[in-house]
Amino acid sequence: MSLEPKFYLKVFRSRFPLFFTVFVAVVAIGVALAITLPKVYRAHASLLVEGSQIPSDLASSTVRTDLAEQVQVIRQRLLTRDNLLDIAYRFELYADRPDMQPDEIVADMRKRVRMDLAAGRQQATVVHLTAEADNGETAAEVANDLVTQVLKQDASFRTDVATDTLAFFQKEVARLGEQLDEVNRRILEFKNANIDALPETLDYRLGRQALLQERLAQTRREISQLKDQRRRLVELYERTGQVALPTERSQSPEEVELAELQSQLRAARAVLSETNPKVTMLKSRIAQLEATISGREPEAAEEESEDPSSGVIEAQLVEIDSQIETLENDAAALSEEIAELQSTIERSPSNAITLTAMERERDNIQGQYDAAVERLSAAATGERIEVLSKGQRLSVIEHAVVPNSPAPPGKTLIVLGAMAAGLLLGLTAVVLVEILFPRLRRPVELTRKLGITPLGTLPYVEAPGEAWRRNGVRFAVLALVCAGIGGGLWAVDQMVMPLDQLVEIVRAKVEL
């Protein structure tokens, strides 16, 4: 079937009143909306994310929060109920609607305030702030107030994070220091309690034990030799009644000293004269010793004239017994010391295990303490960087200025949109009516519907004045529709609520 533009144009002309009614109704609604829609002014401000002013290889900040996450945190703090209500009341954004509830104010404020992050590869990161109000001055003031709050929130956020990090590591260093002191105290107490059985002195005690065991064996041999000598001395005396005497009398101390002085005198005479003071002194001392020895010789001779075996055996036995007793005491002392050393040697392995465990615990805590001290130093540096605002930060690159015109969409755009919507809805209404209520207008349609071929067709001839009456009725209906729309809007504005408030509610519902 070929298209017939003239036929469709005739159909449209027949349905033109319907199209015109729908078009006028939609345009009337758009015009009313444009008239009653309040003007909205939008102010913009921009913040630049600046990098750290100190090279990270020299000192780095302890605030490692992702930038997008930080912006979201600041945004959530800005859009809190209390903050939005405070802004609304301070700038009297809803002074003309005193009956507006706080929840409604908060919901509307969250639509008026926007905070967006713009970033890209090899591009600067910028935060855009947007505020809407009924007049340009208020919009600019609100936007600049949001800029101030964002800067404060950013500084407070980064400073709080750096301060909390520093406080954490300060407490951690103090805690690990206390643990380290406690472990060192326990190690010191353990060493003092086991000072004689510490593993570091084990080699010395083993060597000491071997030396004492050798001395003990030597002492026991000497005791055995003395006991054997005493036994033989007693047996000899019992068999013969005599004791073995020394062939030569032992020299007295004076005789020994005299021999030494005589030797020194002979050496001095070889190099010195007879009048030398040293030679004279030696002669004098030798004369004194000779006089003393010559005075004692008669007594010694008398003693030797007595029986040589009487009393000698007893003196020798007493001397031997004394030596044996001394050696036995020494052996007992050596045995006691060896036993003590053996006890400490046996305790050394268990002490070594306990001490190793304590020292390992001390080393672990020491490692943690050293790491915490290093991190504390880094945290202190990072905290100073944030306090002095030398790290990453937000800076204003563009303050909000008073907008010269309302934000789109404007009234003209709304009217044009209403006209476009009226055209579309009018055409849609014509198409729907033709589909739902079809008419026979051409012979071909009669043949298609009834299956017959007409011999001829007669057009419908209107009576005089019928077209005027029909068109008059249509225009009257159209006028009534327009009047009804206008009256309805006026009634809603006067009896229900102002149309601007109604429009705001509709915008909130459909997010116009």
Side-chain angles (χ1 to χ4, degrees), residues 450-463:
L450 300 179
I452 59 175
T453 302
L455 298 176
T457 57
L458 296 175
Y460 176 78
V461 180
E462 295 180 345

Side-chain angles (χ1 to χ4, degrees), residues 421-439:
L423 289 172
L424 180 61
L425 292 177
L427 293 175
T428 303
V430 171
V431 172
L432 289 177
V433 168
E434 285 296 318
I435 293 174
L436 297 177
F437 306 101
R439 291 181 182 181

Side-chain angles (χ1 to χ4, degrees), residues 16-286:
F16 181 76
L18 174 63
F19 168 80
F20 188 72
T21 302
V22 174
F23 175 78
V24 171
V26 174
V27 171
I29 294 175
V31 171
L33 182 62
I35 294 174
T36 58
L37 186 66
K39 295 181 180 180
V40 176
Y41 291 85
R42 188 175 296 135
H44 302 276
S46 299
L47 301 174
L48 176 65
V49 179
E50 296 182 351
S52 177
Q53 300 179 23
I54 299 177
S56 59
D57 56 344
L58 297 180
S60 60
S61 172
T62 54
V63 182
R64 306 293 174 84
T65 306
D66 182 68
L67 179 60
E69 179 183 352
Q70 182 179 346
V71 171
Q72 289 298 324
V73 170
I74 295 175
R75 183 177 182 275
Q76 293 301 322
R77 291 181 178 179
L78 285 180
L79 298 182
T80 58
R81 177 186 176 89
D82 293 339
N83 190 55
L84 292 177
L85 289 175
D86 177 66
I87 293 175
Y89 292 146
R90 279 192 296 112
F91 294 98
E92 300 180 351
L93 299 180
Y94 302 94
D96 55 340
R97 286 174 278 178
D99 56 341
M100 197 169 183
Q101 298 298 318
D103 292 339
E104 298 175 351
I105 294 176
V106 172
D108 186 65
M109 285 293 296
R110 284 177 177 164
K111 295 182 182 346
R112 290 173 177 260
V113 176
R114 292 186 58 187
M115 181 176 178
D116 302 314
L117 178 66
R121 180 177 297 179
Q122 296 180 351
Q123 293 182 0
T125 303
V126 181
V127 178
H128 297 287
L129 283 170
T130 305
E132 295 180 357
D134 296 337
N135 58 78
E137 293 79 2
T138 304
E141 291 176 356
V142 172
N144 289 323
D145 183 77
L146 291 175
V147 168
T148 302
Q149 291 193 40
V150 168
L151 294 178
K152 289 182 179 179
Q153 291 284 351
D154 176 66
S156 176
F157 174 79
R158 300 184 67 85
T159 303
D160 290 345
V161 171
T163 303
D164 292 343
T165 303
L166 178 62
F168 170 79
F169 281 110
Q170 286 175 341
K171 293 180 180 179
E172 191 69 8
V173 168
R175 181 183 65 83
L176 292 173
E178 292 177 357
Q179 291 185 1
L180 191 60
D181 293 340
E182 175 63 20
V183 172
N184 287 330
R185 183 187 61 80
R186 289 193 285 112
I187 291 176
L188 180 60
E189 291 179 352
F190 181 82
K191 286 186 175 182
N192 290 335
N194 301 272
I195 194 170
D196 57 343
L198 295 177
E200 54 263 27
T201 61
L202 179 61
D203 294 340
Y204 167 76
R205 284 179 281 118
L206 289 173
R208 176 69 176 172
Q209 184 186 40
L211 177 62
L212 293 178
Q213 288 175 346
E214 183 179 352
R215 288 177 57 185
L216 177 62
Q218 179 64 28
T219 302
R220 287 174 177 173
R221 287 195 297 269
E222 292 178 359
I223 292 173
S224 177
Q225 292 175 358
L226 288 174
K227 287 182 177 180
D228 183 65
Q229 180 182 355
R230 186 179 188 285
R231 179 181 57 77
R232 286 186 288 103
L233 184 61
V234 171
E235 289 178 356
L236 177 62
Y237 181 75
E238 289 177 350
R239 287 198 308 268
T240 63
Q242 295 180 356
V243 295
L245 296 176
T247 56
E248 295 182 0
R249 182 177 60 87
S250 59
Q251 294 181 341
S252 64
E254 290 81 0
E255 293 174 342
V256 173
E257 184 180 0
L258 177 61
E260 292 178 356
L261 292 176
Q262 289 175 347
S263 175
Q264 293 179 9
L265 180 60
R266 287 192 298 271
R269 283 178 174 175
V271 296
L272 300 175
S273 63
E274 291 294 332
T275 58
N276 189 277
K278 183 175 181 180
V279 174
T280 305
M281 181 186 69
L282 288 174
K283 288 180 179 180
S284 175
R285 181 57 181 165
I286 290 172

